[in-house]
Amino acid sequence: MNIKETIIEVSLSILPLTMVVLIMQFFLLDFTFEFFFVFIIGVLISIIGFSLFIIGAKLSLLEIGEIIGRKLITKAKLWFVIFFGVALGFAVTLAEPGVQVLSDQVDMLDNSGGSKWILVITISLGVGIFLALALFRYIFNISLKKILIFSYLSIFIVGIFSSPQFFSIAFDAGGVTTGPMAVPFILALGFGVSSLNRITKATHERFGFIALASIGPILAVLIMGVFIR
Amino acid sequence: MINLIFDGFLEVMYDSLNALIPLLIILFFLHFLFLKLSIDMLIQIIKGILFAFFGLVLFLHGVNISFINTGYMTGEVLGTLKNNWIIVPIGFVLGFIVTFAEPAVKILNNEIEKITTGYINKRIVLMFLSLGVAFSVALSMVRILTGISLWYFLVPGYLIALILTKFVGPLFVAIAFDAGGVVTGPMIATFLLAVILGVSKFVEGSDPLIDGFGMIAMVSLMPIISILVLGLIYERSNNKEVYVDEK
């Protein structure tokens, strides 16, 4: 892994946004030197962090996901695959910073206290169960399109009965959970699962795991919204 | 000035470490149970996870002190403008370029190109993803100005997406719905959200809570449609569904 290359690539992807934000700062806001200085330092810190993340993800999450996927599918029994599907989905979602941020925001609005962890656990369980479902789907060769259609229809039906605030939070949760920690891990898990197999599996079977993992939290939060009104 | 740079960093670190522990426990458990990795591999993976994780924390902190502040303040200024329809094209541009800066998108694009052995070019995928996000932010601005309910966007949107799956091969369907989940990463959920909240605060009749949350729902919908459309174009231009699955 070339460190210099990564840093250049990352800088190039952050550059356009930096330029536009600087232009907006210059024309729309009272431009102060202090503000500018902190902004530039912040951008530099994000570039370092982003590069470190890409390097680390290649060393670890992309590797371990594939190894786990391969071994799970060849060596383990069905109940074990399902069980660890849930556990892995749960754990990797807890480690996703976006989930914490979202739950903090909801907690602040709700200000009854304690709702943060209920939400975090609901979201993580949603990811875990749907990751297990994705593995199940793969093993039994069920079409992804059918599961997607069925899931999104259920989302809108449950959505009618859920409270409106939960409806927006649910979709937010679905988008935020599959962030930078979960994405490489779940992608690699999918590749590992489908990499060697008794039956020849097609390339498209290697994708679709994240699709299901991001439906899980939407449904989980909506169901939570049916009960907490 | 130095305070501004380090503000809130330690708390973020502490919360983040707590969140990382369950993942490490499960990995150790799996390792002893049946993965039986070599020591070198185990060290590499733990090192990598720490790199990735603290990289992410640094990234978030950097974004926090740079883009988010500016995002919120410019949002407020934009919301008070007299000709406030201008927020629609500005939203479009911001949505387009913010997608480049999203870490998980980079990972997904690299893997798509790798797995399809170059059949799907990562730059084209990035273009279509960015267009999808651009349209969703522009539409969110329209929602702020007009107050149309989120349902009128989401229900037809997902219907269009589900109908499109009939005409697109399984590879693009899988990638499209994957992309919908991936695109809304930390950059969009923080920076764009800050802009939207800022704008919506000053536009009459707009509720920051409803409009802010709605934006993220839109951002996870539109890229699904844009990648499905890309699939249509790809498969048509290659005459039929040429992509022969590897045997």
Side-chain angles (χ1 to χ4, degrees):
Chain A
M1 184 61 228
N2 193 337
I3 295 175
K4 205 176 121 197
E5 220 171 81
T6 309
I7 294 179
I8 293 174
E9 203 190 324
V10 165
S11 311
L12 285 179
S13 9
I14 293 195
L15 192 68
L17 187 66
T18 309
M19 297 311 289
V20 170
V21 170
L22 271 179
I23 293 170
M24 295 202 304
Q25 262 184 26
F26 200 74
F27 287 107
L28 293 173
L29 305 175
D30 301 325
F31 193 84
T32 65
F33 177 73
E34 188 188 70
F35 199 79
F36 176 74
F37 181 77
V38 173
F39 178 77
I40 293 297
I41 299 279
V43 171
L44 289 179
I45 294 177
S46 351
I47 289 175
I48 296 169
F50 195 155
S51 311
L52 208 58
F53 160 75
I54 297 277
I55 293 165
K58 282 193 178 150
L59 280 176
S60 62
L61 297 163
L62 285 170
E63 292 273 347
I64 189 76
E66 203 164 334
I67 297 172
I68 291 177
R70 205 157 48 215
K71 296 228 172 164
L72 266 185
I73 216 76
T74 47
K75 292 214 173 123
K77 293 210 164 61
L78 183 62
W79 68 266
F80 191 82
V81 175
I82 303 294
F83 175 74
F84 268 96
V86 176
L88 285 168
F90 187 82
V92 83
T93 311
L94 281 183
E96 190 66 68
V99 175
Q100 308 279 334
V101 173
L102 173 72
S103 307
D104 276 334
Q105 285 170 344
V106 173
D107 204 34
M108 262 175 353
L109 301 178
D110 180 58
N111 67 53
S112 62
S115 62
K116 179 187 169 182
W117 286 102
I118 300 175
L119 190 64
V120 170
I121 288 168
T122 310
I123 291 173
S124 307
L125 262 183
V127 176
I129 291 171
F130 267 72
L131 189 60
L133 179 71
L135 291 166
F136 187 83
R137 177 200 80 81
Y138 177 78
I139 294 169
F140 290 96
N141 241 329
I142 305 167
S143 135
L144 178 68
K145 288 183 187 177
K146 280 183 192 145
I147 299 224
L148 285 176
I149 292 175
F150 179 76
S151 309
Y152 276 104
L153 286 180
S154 337
I155 284 176
F156 283 107
I157 291 168
V158 179
I160 296 170
F161 297 102
S162 194
S163 61
Q165 291 123 307
F166 276 91
F167 189 73
S168 351
I169 297 173
F171 273 91
D172 222 16
V176 169
T177 39
T178 40
M181 286 302 275
V183 164
F185 183 78
I186 296 176
L187 265 179
L189 191 75
F191 302 158
V193 163
S194 51
S195 62
L196 41 121
N197 218 300
R198 295 137 263 184
I199 328 148
T200 319
K201 291 267 184 178
T203 313
H204 65 81
E205 291 290 352
R206 301 188 174 192
F207 295 99
F209 285 77
I210 296 175
L212 288 179
S214 45
I215 291 176
I218 307 183
L219 257 183
V221 174
L222 283 178
I223 291 172
M224 181 180 158
V226 174
F227 291 107
I228 304 175
R229 259 181 179 267
Chain B
M1 197 146 80
I2 299 298
N3 292 346
L4 282 176
I5 293 171
F6 289 104
D7 199 21
F9 186 63
L10 279 178
E11 291 96 85
V12 174
M13 246 357 200
Y14 177 78
D15 280 353
S16 311
L17 250 175
N18 270 337
L20 195 57
I21 288 168
L23 184 63
L24 291 176
I25 291 176
I26 291 198
L27 285 184
F28 272 112
F29 196 65
L30 275 176
H31 166 69
F32 287 115
L33 213 61
F34 80 149
L35 286 181
K36 312 251 170 18
L37 303 164
S38 67
I39 291 295
D40 284 353
M41 192 64 189
L42 196 64
I43 292 174
Q44 179 197 323
I45 282 168
I46 291 176
K47 207 170 78 183
I49 288 185
L50 292 178
F51 271 17
F53 191 73
F54 288 112
L56 204 54
V57 174
L58 272 182
F59 172 72
L60 285 175
H61 183 70
V63 169
N64 243 327
I65 60 174
S66 55
F67 293 113
I68 296 187
N69 276 335
T70 322
Y72 192 72
M73 285 193 272
T74 41
E76 282 184 342
V77 176
L78 291 175
T80 46
L81 290 182
K82 205 152 194 188
N83 293 317
N84 52 17
W85 56 266
I86 192 131
I87 61 175
V88 178
I90 289 182
F92 190 89
V93 173
L94 284 178
F96 193 81
I97 53 179
V98 82
T99 316
F100 303 159
E102 202 55 85
V105 169
K106 194 161 269 316
I107 298 261
L108 178 75
N109 285 345
N110 286 338
E111 295 300 304
I112 289 176
E113 194 170 78
K114 203 175 91 193
I115 296 299
T116 64
T117 54
Y119 166 73
I120 303 178
N121 181 295
K122 66 175 174 184
R123 281 174 218 287
I124 297 180
V125 176
L126 183 61
M127 247 350 109
F128 272 75
L129 280 178
S130 303
L131 274 178
V133 177
F135 277 112
S136 20
V137 181
L139 283 177
S140 302
M141 295 299 193
V142 173
R143 271 193 63 225
I144 291 182
L145 294 176
T146 57
I148 303 173
S149 159
L150 187 60
W151 276 88
Y152 295 109
F153 289 93
L154 286 191
V155 176
Y158 276 103
L159 271 179
I160 290 172
L162 291 177
I163 291 168
L164 273 176
T165 62
K166 293 271 170 227
F167 303 99
V168 180
L171 177 67
F172 273 100
V173 170
I175 291 179
F177 280 87
D178 272 1
V182 172
V183 149
T184 44
M187 204 64 185
I188 288 173
T190 52
F191 169 70
L192 270 188
L193 194 63
V195 176
I196 293 272
L197 290 179
V199 169
S200 133
K201 196 172 151 194
F202 284 101
V203 172
E204 219 173 295
S206 167
D207 179 347
L209 283 180
I210 294 171
D211 294 331
F213 283 128
M215 187 271 295
I216 289 178
M218 300 275 276
V219 172
S220 20
L221 164 67
M222 296 298 284
I224 301 181
I225 298 179
S226 70
I227 296 295
L228 285 173
V229 170
L230 173 68
L232 270 182
I233 298 172
Y234 240 76
E235 285 164 6
R236 289 293 131 90
S237 69
N238 291 335
N239 256 327
K240 48 203 162 294
E241 202 182 305
V242 229
Y243 192 50
V244 197
D245 293 318
E246 51 183 28
K247 287 284 145 52

